[in-house]
Amino acid sequence: MTTSPAAPGSALDRFFGIRAAGSSVSTELRAGLTTFLTMSYVLFVNPQILSTAIQVPNAFVQLLMTTALAAAFGSLAMGLVAKYPFAQAPGMGLNAFFAFTVVGGLGVPWQTALGAVFISGVLFVLLSVLGARQAIVRAIPNVLKFSITAGIGAFLAFIGLRNAGIVVANEATLVGLGPLTAAPSVVALVGLVVTAALLARRVKGAILWGILVATLLAIVLRLPVYPGANGALAPFSGFTGRFLGIFDVPVWPGALVGQLDIAGALGLGLLSVVFTFFFVDFFDATGTLTGLAQKSGYLTPEGDMPRARRVFTMDGLAAMFGAFMGTSTTTAYVESASGIEDGGRTGLTAVVVGVLFLLAMFLWPLASAIPAAATAPALILVGALMLEGLRHVNWDDVTESIPAFLTIIAMPLTFSIANGVSWGVISLCGIKLLSGRGREVSPILYVVAALLLARYIWLSE
C-alpha cells in the first residue's frame, strides 16, 4: 500500500524527517493510534496493581490519571526529543515489583519506594549522558536479558491467575487450583480466550478489546466481581452503573504528586531496592529499545542506535517524572512494535500516542466498570508474550540454561523480581567460573555478582 509523503518543506516533515524515513503524515497518525490501542490497557492494569500498595482516597482513579500523565510525558519526550516512534508508559513487571515485593513484601512505604524509582531514573540519565551504557550492556550476556524478561512475564502471569481466583493459596501445597465456576474465574477465562483469539487474528488493540468483552460479561450477568460484592452492594453485588457518564473532567492526583521520599530511599537498607529498579529497567529498556530500533530499520550493522544517548536519557527522564507523579517506573513499551508494523517510523507516531493518553484522561468514569477479573487476562497474556525471547537461549549449554531457569523460576515462586535477577547473575558467574569458562563473563558482572551475594549474606544475619 502506497502512501502520500508529507508535503516537501512542511514543518512536520522538517522536524521529524518524515519523508526521509519513507513515511507520511497519515501513516504516522495511524501508527500512533495503533500503538495507543495496543498499550492502552495500561490505563486499567497499572492502577489495578499499584492500588494494592498505594492507599490513598479514590486510589484507582488517581492512579489512572497518574498513569496517563506519565505515559503522555514519556511518549512526548521520546517523540519530540529523541524523534523515535517508541511510546512509553509505566512498565508491566516493574509495577508488580513495586507493589508486591518492595511495598507488600519488604514493608517499604510507597512514598519511599517512589523515591527509589526516582533515584534509579537519575542514575539511568547519568549513565546515558556519560555513554557508560555500552560498557554495562556488553557485560550482561543475552541469556540473562532474555531470562529476566521471561521471568517477569511468568511473574505477571502468576499475578493475573491469582487476581482471577484461578490460583489460590493452599495450606498443604502452598498453591492450588481455585473454583473455576466462580464468577471471577469465569470472567477471566472468557476474557483470556477472547483476547488470545484476537491476538491470533492480529486485531489492533486486542488486549483492550479483551478487557472490554470481559467487563461487559460481568456487567450484563451482574456478576459479583466488584469491590463490596456480597456485602456493601447487596442485594445487587454486581456493577453499580457508574460508568454511564462516560466523559468527565480529569481528576488531579493530588494525593500522589510530589509524595516521593528521596531521603528515605537513600538509606543503606534500600540501596538494593534502588539497584534492582535500576538494573531491571536499564536492561529491559535497552533490550526493548534495541529491538524496536532494529524493527524500524534504524539499527546499524554494528548494532548501534543513532541518537542512543537521547533515547536512553528520555527513558530515564520518564522514570523520574513518573515517580514524581506517583507511579512506578515508566519505560519503553514493546507494544510500540505494532505501530512500527503499521508504518510508523518517526517521532510523530510517539507524539500521537502521548496526545491520546492525555485525551484518555477525560474518560476516567469508564474505570469504575473494569473489575480485577477483567484485567487478569491482560496480565496473563502479556506475561506469556514476554517469554518469547527464551527461544534464543542455548538450552544445551548448562552454564547458560541453569542460570536462565533459576532467573525465571525464582520470580514467581519467591514473588520477587529482585530474587530472580540476583539468582541469575550469581549462578551464571559461579557456574562459568567453576566450569573453567570464567573468561566468558565480563569482570563487571563478577563485581555485580559479588555485591548481590554480599547483600544476601548481610540480610541473613
Side-chain angles (χ1 to χ4, degrees):
M1 173 178 158
T2 59
T3 56
S4 56
S10 70
L12 285 176
D13 182 39
R14 288 196 305 270
F15 186 81
F16 291 108
I18 297 174
R19 295 182 72 228
S23 186
S24 67
V25 172
S26 60
T27 298
E28 297 294 306
L29 295 177
R30 186 183 68 240
L33 176 60
T34 298
T35 298
F36 174 77
L37 288 176
T38 59
M39 64 184 290
S40 55
Y41 67 87
V42 70
L43 289 169
F44 307 120
V45 179
N46 190 56
Q48 196 81 56
I49 292 176
L50 293 184
S51 61
T52 63
I54 299 179
Q55 305 297 326
V56 296
N58 205 15
F60 189 92
V61 174
Q62 291 207 53
L63 284 166
L64 187 149
M65 294 295 160
T66 289
T67 300
L69 288 168
F73 176 87
S75 299
L76 289 171
M78 188 66 73
L80 294 173
V81 180
K83 300 182 181 179
Y84 275 106
F86 309 152
Q88 300 195 84
M92 295 293 106
L94 292 165
N95 52 11
F97 173 68
F98 180 100
F100 301 114
T101 300
V102 178
V103 178
L106 299 178
V108 176
W110 61 266
Q111 298 91 335
T112 307
L114 288 175
V117 173
F118 185 88
I119 296 170
S120 71
V122 172
L123 294 175
F124 197 91
V125 170
L126 288 175
L127 284 178
S128 300
V129 172
L130 295 175
R133 173 188 64 89
Q134 292 84 345
I136 298 179
V137 170
R138 293 191 189 102
I140 303 297
N142 286 333
V143 62
L144 284 187
K145 295 175 187 175
F146 295 134
S147 303
I148 290 170
T149 300
I152 293 173
F155 189 37
L156 278 179
F158 181 76
I159 293 171
L161 291 168
R162 191 189 70 160
N163 288 351
I166 297 173
V167 172
V168 297
N170 185 296
E171 291 186 5
T173 61
L174 295 182
V175 294
L177 182 66
L180 298 182
T181 56
S185 297
V186 171
V187 170
L189 290 172
V190 170
L192 182 66
V193 172
V194 170
T195 306
L198 293 175
L199 285 170
R201 290 177 172 271
R202 300 185 182 276
V203 174
K204 299 295 189 293
I207 293 177
L208 179 62
W209 286 117
I211 292 175
L212 294 178
V213 168
T215 299
L216 287 175
L217 175 66
I219 292 173
V220 172
L221 298 182
R222 298 191 172 191
L223 299 177
V225 293
Y226 293 88
N230 300 320
L233 301 182
F236 169 44
S237 57
F239 178 59
T240 61
R242 289 176 54 205
F243 84 108
L244 297 178
I246 293 177
F247 299 98
D248 205 342
V249 177
V251 175
W252 178 249
L256 301 174
V257 176
Q259 297 301 309
L260 68 170
D261 180 10
I262 298 176
L266 288 173
L268 181 61
L270 290 184
L271 289 182
S272 61
V273 174
V274 173
F275 171 77
T276 303
F277 272 127
F278 166 77
F279 185 88
V280 175
D281 180 42
F282 187 90
F283 295 108
D284 180 66
T286 298
T288 298
L289 290 169
T290 301
L292 292 174
Q294 184 177 31
K295 187 174 182 64
S296 56
Y298 283 107
L299 208 62
T300 66
E302 294 76 25
D304 293 326
M305 184 193 311
R307 305 185 300 280
R309 292 191 184 188
R310 286 194 203 175
V311 172
F312 285 93
T313 298
M314 291 307 102
D315 190 81
L317 287 176
M320 294 168 61
F321 178 83
F324 178 79
M325 296 303 296
T327 185
S328 54
T329 309
T330 301
T331 188
Y333 257 56
V334 72
E335 284 85 352
S336 301
S338 63
I340 294 171
E341 185 70 27
D342 211 19
R345 290 295 181 272
T346 74
L348 181 57
T349 294
V351 169
V352 171
V353 175
V355 171
L356 289 174
F357 269 113
L358 291 176
L359 293 177
M361 294 174 65
F362 290 88
L363 296 171
W364 68 265
L366 282 172
S368 63
I370 311 295
T375 57
L379 290 172
I380 296 169
L381 289 173
V382 169
L385 294 174
M386 292 176 74
L387 271 67
E388 182 271 339
L390 291 181
R391 60 191 175 92
H392 299 295
V393 175
N394 182 7
W395 295 102
D396 293 327
D397 186 348
V398 174
T399 66
E400 295 192 357
S401 60
I402 297 301
F405 170 75
L406 291 174
T407 300
I408 298 164
I409 201 69
M411 292 189 191
L413 292 189
T414 67
F415 221 70
S416 169
I417 295 173
N419 284 334
V421 174
S422 300
W423 290 17
V425 172
I426 294 171
S427 62
L428 180 80
C429 291
I431 295 172
K432 288 283 190 182
L433 186 63
L434 294 177
S435 62
R437 297 167 57 180
R439 292 186 178 181
E440 297 179 6
V441 178
S442 168
I444 296 176
L445 197 63
Y446 282 117
V447 174
V448 173
L451 292 174
L452 290 172
L453 190 59
R455 185 194 66 164
Y456 275 117
I457 296 172
W458 178 68
L459 287 176
S460 66
E461 294 178 351

